[in-house]
Amino acid sequence: LPAAGLRVELWGDAGRIADRLTNADGRCDGPLVEGAGAGVYELRFHAGDYLRGAGVVLADPPFLDVIPIRFGLGAAGHAHVPLLLSPYGYSTYRGS
């Protein structure tokens, strides 16, 4: 199911750039940043809060809580980074 209401933060060298909740389709309503330059960025998916809110009983502490995904962007500066999530695992890739 799409993860509606999942908090996603985008961080760069200068600190936090964006902080959003996903919509009913499990996506952010728009780009987290326009015109991002080349560099290293980090998405932080707040999986523990989302899973608890969805009624999943988690261990204390949860196996997955905040999931950081660090990635690099070239000059094109565009990336779609999906997260497939369960209480005990996740996968990600560069989407289209």
Side-chain angles (χ1 to χ4, degrees), residues 68-84:
I69 306 293
R70 185 167 288 200
F71 61 97
L73 287 181
H78 174 80
H80 174 72
V81 184
L83 181 77
L84 306 174

Side-chain angles (χ1 to χ4, degrees), residues 53-67:
V56 176
V57 177
L58 300 176
D60 185 21
F63 183 71
L64 296 174
D65 194 11
V66 177
I67 299 172

Side-chain angles (χ1 to χ4, degrees), residues 6 14 27 31 62:
L6 174 65
R27 299 172 178 262

Side-chain angles (χ1 to χ4, degrees), residues 3-24:
L6 174 65
R7 182 177 174 205
V8 180
E9 296 176 290
L10 177 66
W11 290 75
D13 289 338
R16 189 171 65 185
I17 299 168
D19 189 343
R20 305 267 178 83
L21 293 176
T22 56
N23 61 25

Side-chain angles (χ1 to χ4, degrees), residues 22-76:
T22 56
N23 61 25
D25 291 326
R27 299 172 178 262
C28 292
D29 285 328
L32 294 178
V33 64
E34 294 284 348
V40 176
Y41 296 89
E42 183 173 289
L43 285 167
R44 295 180 186 172
F45 295 91
H46 291 259
D49 291 341
Y50 166 75
L51 291 167
R52 277 187 212 90
V56 176
V57 177
L58 300 176
D60 185 21
F63 183 71
L64 296 174
D65 194 11
V66 177
I67 299 172
I69 306 293
R70 185 167 288 200
F71 61 97
L73 287 181

